Amino acid sequence: MEATDPLGKMLEFIYNEMDGSELFERYSERHGLKSAAILTVMDDERADLIASHLAPRIEGRVVVEIGGGIGILGCHLARFAKRVYCIEANPMWSWVFATALLTNKPKNLSYLFGAADEFVGRIRGNVALFCT
């Protein structure tokens, strides 16, 4: 099935053209990236369900989301959290992230590119989240 919406088309391109490409393999080797290009949260319905479930645990707190993908879950978490730091090591998601966040990014969400260990001691949070 071919995607028709802009977000879906970008995800389709990433999975079909970039994932496993020589360019991505060289990047992964250079940066020690060992994660696969797999999105677990890529729609508002799922992100809302997860964020609503976590709301009592994150309300008014600083959340560090590790493996933030395209930022959709981070946007939903930011409705409840004081601040959300969304960390993503895979640059392939940056195209889709920019498109998704141009219309949805709340002010209390920061998106950081790099491996989570690169930010140790630089950001602080009350709750760490890794959603798979």
Side-chain angles (χ1 to χ4, degrees), residues 103-128:
T103 57
N104 300 318
K105 183 193 173 296
K107 191 171 182 168
N108 64 332
L109 171 65
S110 296
Y111 199 87
L112 308 167
F113 272 112
D117 62 356
E118 294 174 34
F119 300 102
V120 172
R122 297 173 194 263
I123 60 172
R124 293 186 182 273
N126 306 109
V127 177

Side-chain angles (χ1 to χ4, degrees), residues 74-91:
C75 286
H76 286 265
L77 294 170
R79 290 189 353 242
F80 303 102
K82 177 180 178 181
R83 155 85 33 212
V84 176
Y85 293 105
C86 188
I87 301 172
E88 178 56 58
N90 189 334

Side-chain angles (χ1 to χ4, degrees), residues 39-98:
L39 282 180
T40 54
V41 181
M42 51 191 195
D43 62 72
D44 284 312
E45 184 178 347
R46 181 172 293 183
D48 183 56
L49 188 68
I50 295 168
S52 296
H53 177 74
L54 293 173
R57 296 181 182 118
I58 66 171
E59 198 156 12
R61 301 178 121 192
V62 177
V63 176
V64 178
E65 181 190 7
I66 300 168
I70 60 174
I72 291 177
L73 180 57
C75 286
H76 286 265
L77 294 170
R79 290 189 353 242
F80 303 102
K82 177 180 178 181
R83 155 85 33 212
V84 176
Y85 293 105
C86 188
I87 301 172
E88 178 56 58
N90 189 334
M92 290 191 314
W93 303 131
S94 65
W95 300 338
V96 184
F97 162 80

Side-chain angles (χ1 to χ4, degrees), residues 12-30:
E12 194 174 85
F13 172 78
I14 288 169
Y15 280 120
N16 292 336
E17 301 296 326
M18 298 300 292
D19 188 31
S21 70
E22 185 179 328
L23 183 63
F24 180 66
E25 294 303 318
R26 285 195 317 258
Y27 178 89
S28 296
E29 186 176 318
R30 194 170 62 248

